[in-house]
Amino acid sequence: MQIGFEPKIVFLCPLCHKDVEMIYSRTEGWIADHGGCLNFSVMRKPPTIGENEFRTPLVFIDLESDFAIREAVEGLRSLVSEEEDLSKRSKIEAGIKRLESKIGFAEKRIPELLDVIKGGTFGLRIVSGRSAGALVWRGVEKFVGISYGNVQNEEEGLMLTSQEEETKGFILKWIHYWDGPKLVGKKAFPQPDL
Ligand SMILES: [Zn+2]
């Protein structure tokens, strides 16, 4: 295939205002090389309630909880211990350092990310960890929040509000989802293909 003929999603990063190019990879899905700034996900299957499909933005900003970052670090650490190739090893170790530097920042980012999703063009995907999390975006009039993945109580995973404060509370709840005691493994919903 000729270079330049692959489909892309191109937009300006709402945070640093630089070009972001998302391309499709067979193994990883839609990925963007926008290191050190925001990570993005493409919404392929909008969430549904009953028969009704929500209308959502196409691109969601990922917000990883500290729990999710630590989980990813653990995964990489076990990769490192098995990797014999030195250059691959140091790449993974650099990845671990990059991830660890993000710990403690999820909450601090909420105000600026809330500001971005208010515009309605981008959604927010909170990555709580253990294949669970929540999506938040602004619909026509209200903010919508809905959980995904391995979630224990569906009722706490739904929000429909015009209040910014309530939206912030919903985001906070999902950032700290695994910080309280939880029944692990009670239900195992497959993670949606985002
Ligand atoms: Zn950026």
Side-chain angles (χ1 to χ4, degrees):
M1 192 175 71
Q2 238 173 305
I3 291 168
F5 278 77
E6 70 273 9
K8 286 175 192 167
I9 300 171
V10 183
F11 51 91
L12 291 178
C13 170
L15 212 63
C16 71
H17 300 212
K18 285 183 187 146
D19 264 328
V20 181
E21 233 182 58
M22 296 194 81
I23 53 160
Y24 183 73
S25 135
R26 238 170 0 107
T27 49
E28 293 170 82
W30 284 94
I31 46 165
D33 187 11
H34 197 59
C37 188
L38 296 173
N39 292 320
F40 300 94
S41 299
V42 174
M43 179 61 59
R44 290 177 52 203
K45 286 185 201 149
T48 52
I49 287 193
E51 302 270 292
N52 298 314
E53 198 170 79
F54 283 106
R55 183 164 64 191
T56 74
L58 175 68
V59 176
F60 277 66
I61 299 165
D62 289 342
L63 178 63
E64 293 92 357
S65 72
D66 287 357
F67 184 97
I69 296 171
R70 289 201 180 95
E71 189 180 50
V73 165
E74 265 171 47
L76 288 180
R77 283 232 171 87
S78 65
L79 269 185
V80 157
S81 61
E82 286 160 21
E83 185 57 66
E84 281 164 20
D85 184 319
L86 275 180
S87 78
K88 278 187 192 161
R89 247 186 114 111
S90 68
K91 262 188 198 157
I92 302 172
E93 275 161 359
I96 292 176
K97 281 215 179 80
R98 220 174 20 242
L99 279 174
E100 281 177 331
S101 71
K102 287 163 114 188
I103 290 174
F105 283 97
E107 260 186 51
K108 293 189 184 111
R109 300 206 105 161
I110 293 177
E112 58 186 355
L113 295 180
L114 200 52
D115 235 25
V116 170
I117 64 167
K118 259 198 280 184
T121 318
F122 291 91
L124 184 66
R125 184 170 83 113
I126 303 139
V127 183
S128 305
R130 288 188 182 135
S131 303
L135 306 166
V136 180
W137 71 94
R138 190 175 195 172
V140 181
E141 281 170 12
K142 293 184 173 180
F143 291 97
V144 186
I146 189 163
S147 61
Y148 68 81
N150 179 20
V151 171
Q152 321 260 321
N153 180 354
E154 289 90 348
E155 268 175 39
E156 64 178 40
L158 194 62
M159 174 200 68
L160 208 59
T161 182
S162 48
Q163 303 298 316
E164 220 176 296
E165 257 330 281
E166 198 182 335
T167 308
K168 194 182 163 188
F170 185 85
I171 295 170
L172 272 170
K173 180 170 77 183
W174 286 93
I175 283 179
H176 295 292
Y177 188 68
W178 292 114
D179 295 352
K182 284 276 182 301
L183 294 166
V184 180
K186 187 179 146 209
K187 284 184 184 176
F189 293 114
Q191 194 175 14
D193 187 8
L194 290 179

